[in-house]
Amino acid sequence: MESKRQQKFAGIIQEDLAAIFQREGMNYLPNTLVTITKVRVTPDLAIARVFLSFFNNANSQLSLATVKQHASEIRYKLGARIKDNARIVPQLEFFIDDTSEYVERMDKIFDKISKEDRQPDTEEGE
């Protein structure tokens, strides 16, 4: 369970990273919209796990690798934005947030189930 302090710090990081990706994202990933879906911070606030979602993109793994290559530059820009709110700038670890893919997959499964012929309920004692 995250403390209030962790949640507040994660919120600050999420907002500032969103602004960084909105302004600078085209430099890293042209024609791709990057969304920060979630940020989790360790109790000592030293590591921030950032979950990203990529839109208008064919290869999420390649995009994630590109973001990871620019991680130190992104961390530097984050540090410039949060210097008044934090003593240290956390290390950034980036991950793909596949929640939307999971939901899409589950929707397809439920659609398939609902389209299958239903077997009539059998009465007990027949």
Side-chain angles (χ1 to χ4, degrees), residues 32-111:
T32 301
L33 176 65
V34 181
T35 304
I36 291 84
T37 56
K38 187 174 14 179
V39 175
R40 297 281 184 246
V41 182
T42 56
D44 63 355
L45 308 181
I47 299 172
R49 293 181 177 93
V50 181
F51 293 85
L52 304 172
S53 183
F54 301 100
F55 296 99
N56 196 20
N57 187 327
N59 190 343
S60 295
Q61 292 296 333
L62 182 61
S63 298
L64 180 65
T66 303
V67 169
K68 285 182 177 182
Q69 285 177 340
H70 295 280
S72 60
E73 182 182 340
I74 294 167
R75 182 176 182 234
Y76 176 79
K77 289 177 182 181
L78 176 67
R81 294 179 70 98
I82 67 169
K83 65 181 183 267
D84 296 331
N85 297 326
R87 282 184 288 152
I88 61 164
V89 179
Q91 284 295 121
L92 301 175
E93 295 178 354
F94 294 101
F95 301 94
I96 293 176
D97 183 9
D98 58 354
T99 304
S100 61
E101 293 171 13
Y102 176 77
V103 168
E104 203 173 295
R105 201 166 52 240
M106 294 306 291
D107 283 343
K108 287 179 183 176
I109 291 170
F110 287 130
D111 285 344

Side-chain angles (χ1 to χ4, degrees), residues 107-120:
D107 283 343
K108 287 179 183 176
I109 291 170
F110 287 130
D111 285 344
K112 184 178 176 185
I113 290 171
S114 68
K115 289 177 183 173
E116 288 179 1
D117 290 336
R118 295 195 180 258
Q119 304 236 339

